Amino acid sequence: MIANSQYKLKASDLELILALVRTHNLMGAAERLGVNSSTVFRTIRHIERSLGHELFERSRTGYLPTEQTLLLAEYAEKIEAQLEQARSEIQLVPEQVSGIVRITTTDTILHGLIAPSLHKLSNVHLLLEYELHTGNELTSLTRREADIAVRATKHPPHHLIGKHIGTLNMALYAGTNIDHDQLANFGKVNWIVPDDALPDHPSVIWRKRHYPKAVLRYRVNSILTVMEFISAGMGVGVLPVFLAQQCKDLIALTDILEECETELWILTHPESRHLLRVSSVFRHLSETLKL
């Protein structure tokens, strides 16, 4: 490509680049910008031709930003933050807080804590929308593909801004309808456990240490599924106390397992905390999430 030495990046160019960095695909970027996919395609090609080099690598997984593109995205985020801060100065009522807030967490925390909290917030900020992603990694927040992460960890990354919510406790549970004769020996009863996708989960480490010969009848890829199977009387398993307390079909077989304790944090990137939509949700979650 031959660069146009007269070309100057515009704010709208940076906004488009940032949208494509966050979504990795034309359709997602177009939806964020309120245009169609062909417009995004033509515009990004025009910017690349004008600059004289490609900003994204095209692959089967989508548009992958180069190192220089990630730098441009950082400038775009700073502009976005300043614009949102300027808008906040003239917003007089809470209903005017608007936009999409992207939250990443685990399915357990989403269903047990975040969903009820966001339901309350929706009655205050009517124009806010949410993109909710469940997974066990922090990469989406580090790469700014998400605005807020709610994670169970004892060691949150130092480069993120965090709010400590409290200690996340766990215990061993069974369903209220389980045959009590089966509970005479935890080592021989059927267990419902996380599969190999969660090898470092505290419950997995605890169970291997104390019941290495347990009968692992059901291996599942979700703690919510563990709870569903236990409540159906299919066996025993370790669950977060905050989640189990919401299910009337469960009984605790042990006290809190101290070896399984971890900490719950709300995290955001330093560049995102100044955005009004992000700070509003971050503050609300910080005040309402209770273990």
Side-chain angles (χ1 to χ4, degrees):
M1 293 185 180
I2 301 176
N4 178 358
S5 59
Q6 302 299 318
Y7 186 77
K8 295 181 180 180
L9 278 172
K10 303 184 291 292
S12 58
D13 295 337
L14 291 176
E15 184 181 23
L16 185 142
I17 290 170
L18 180 58
L20 200 49
V21 166
R22 286 173 169 170
T23 62
H24 300 301
N25 63 79
L26 297 175
M27 185 175 297
E31 185 176 345
R32 287 181 180 276
L33 298 171
V35 298
N36 56 50
S37 300
S38 60
T39 298
V40 176
F41 176 78
R42 290 194 304 270
T43 305
I44 198 65
R45 292 300 296 162
H46 169 70
I47 296 172
E48 289 178 328
R49 286 194 300 269
S50 299
L51 294 176
H53 57 82
E54 292 187 346
L55 296 173
F56 295 88
E57 297 177 8
R58 280 68 168 175
S59 72
R60 291 183 178 179
T61 58
Y63 279 61
L64 304 180
T66 65
E67 289 297 322
Q68 185 181 43
T69 306
L70 291 175
L71 180 61
L72 291 176
E74 289 184 11
Y75 285 113
E77 284 184 326
K78 291 177 181 178
I79 295 173
E80 181 184 58
Q82 290 174 342
L83 284 173
E84 294 240 12
Q85 191 169 3
R87 293 189 187 107
S88 69
E89 296 295 331
I90 61 172
Q91 288 179 330
L92 301 178
V93 293
E95 287 78 6
Q96 290 178 313
V97 180
S98 63
I100 298 174
V101 178
R102 301 159 298 156
I103 302 174
T104 177
T105 187
T106 64
D107 57 352
T108 308
I109 296 172
L110 174 61
H111 288 268
L113 295 174
I114 295 178
S117 178
L118 292 182
H119 181 60
K120 295 177 182 177
L121 186 60
S122 65
N123 295 322
V124 179
H125 297 308
L126 303 179
L127 301 181
L128 277 178
E129 300 176 19
Y130 308 94
E131 290 182 2
L132 304 171
H133 169 76
T134 57
N136 294 287
E137 72 290 331
L138 276 170
T139 53
S140 57
L141 183 61
T142 302
R143 296 173 183 172
R144 264 96 87 210
E145 295 169 2
D147 301 308
I148 295 172
V150 184
R151 285 285 183 263
T153 177
K154 289 186 176 181
H155 306 289
H158 295 298
H159 64 281
L160 300 177
I161 303 297
K163 167 71 174 179
H164 179 244
I165 298 303
T167 300
L168 198 158
N169 296 311
M170 308 191 80
L172 184 66
Y173 288 88
T176 55
N177 59 347
I178 195 170
D179 183 349
H180 287 272
D181 292 338
Q182 298 181 42
L183 301 179
N185 188 331
F186 292 156
K188 294 183 178 180
V189 72
N190 292 335
W191 284 66
I192 300 102
V193 300
D195 62 16
D196 293 338
L198 297 173
D200 300 321
H201 195 274
S203 68
V204 174
I205 296 173
W206 177 84
R207 186 253 308 156
K208 287 182 177 179
R209 180 177 298 140
H210 294 277
Y211 297 98
K213 297 182 179 180
V215 180
L216 310 183
R217 187 68 64 192
Y218 305 99
R219 297 177 176 85
V220 298
N221 65 354
S222 163
I223 301 300
L224 282 179
T225 305
V226 173
M227 183 178 72
E228 291 173 359
F229 279 30
I230 295 173
S231 64
M234 298 169 65
V236 302
V238 179
L239 294 170
V241 173
F242 79 84
L243 187 67
Q245 288 177 339
Q246 301 178 29
C247 181
K248 62 181 180 180
D249 297 325
L250 296 175
I251 54 173
L253 303 177
T254 66
D255 293 328
I256 290 173
L257 304 174
E258 294 184 1
E259 296 174 54
C260 293
E261 286 183 357
T262 187
E263 307 301 320
L264 187 65
W265 288 82
I266 303 178
L267 303 164
T268 189
H269 194 276
E271 292 295 342
S272 301
R273 62 174 175 166
H274 301 298
L275 303 178
L276 183 61
R277 56 184 170 80
V278 176
S279 63
S280 298
V281 176
F282 188 97
R283 181 171 58 253
H284 174 79
L285 293 177
S286 300
E287 295 172 351
T288 59
L289 296 190
K290 306 294 181 183
L291 291 173

